[in-house]
Amino acid sequence: MALFYFTVLHTSASLALNESWDPDVRDDMEMMLNKIVPEGLPYRHSCEGPDDMPAHVKACFLGSSLTIPITDGKLSLGTWQGVWLCEHRDQAGSRKLVITLSGCPRETARSPLSPVSPIASTSS
């Protein structure tokens, strides 16, 4: 089995697995996050602007990483699912992701009994 690990290297952005077909879902999600974590509260951390601390809170709620299995060479996602890079700042800069592949896709031509397998026996 193979897995993709996705990590965003920022504390004011997040990753999520969610509905990826209807753009209204993204708009509704942003509306709800803004209601749950509004700007304008008396946050102590405010040196980077009024949207910075709410962005940190939203990023903690959603998380900074995802692990998704790979089946037959493709991400194993539900019919409507997609990976979201969620930007929580109003005027953010560029973002960096680390994507790591762990394991290896199953190859029937390289099974342990196959002559091309590195662990296949060479004795008769």
Side-chain angles (χ1 to χ4, degrees):
M1 173 187 241
L3 298 169
F4 263 127
Y5 298 99
F6 298 84
T7 303
V8 61
L9 300 179
H10 302 274
T11 59
S12 57
S14 58
L15 294 172
L17 188 63
N18 210 316
E19 160 83 54
S20 189
W21 180 79
D22 184 354
D24 288 342
V25 174
R26 291 189 304 269
D27 294 339
D28 290 343
M29 179 63 105
E30 183 177 10
M31 175 191 64
M32 288 307 303
L33 286 171
N34 288 335
K35 283 183 178 271
I36 295 167
V37 187
E39 291 182 19
L41 295 178
Y43 298 107
R44 291 176 55 147
H45 174 74
S46 61
C47 59
E48 295 179 62
D51 67 334
D52 189 44
M53 190 58 217
H56 292 306
V57 175
K58 292 170 188 176
C60 278
F61 280 165
L62 295 180
S64 61
S65 64
L66 294 172
T67 302
I68 302 176
I70 301 169
T71 304
D72 296 326
K74 298 178 184 175
L75 294 177
S76 297
L77 299 173
T79 301
W80 308 111
Q81 288 180 318
V83 175
W84 290 6
L85 171 60
C86 304
E87 179 53 65
H88 303 301
R89 298 292 309 268
D90 295 332
Q91 301 293 321
S94 63
R95 299 299 188 176
K96 293 181 182 177
L97 295 174
V98 172
I99 301 172
T100 304
L101 174 63
S102 176
C104 61
R106 184 177 177 192
E107 294 183 41
T108 55
R110 290 181 51 103
S111 72
L113 301 177
S114 168
V116 296
S117 171
I119 61 171
S121 172
T122 55
S123 62
S124 312

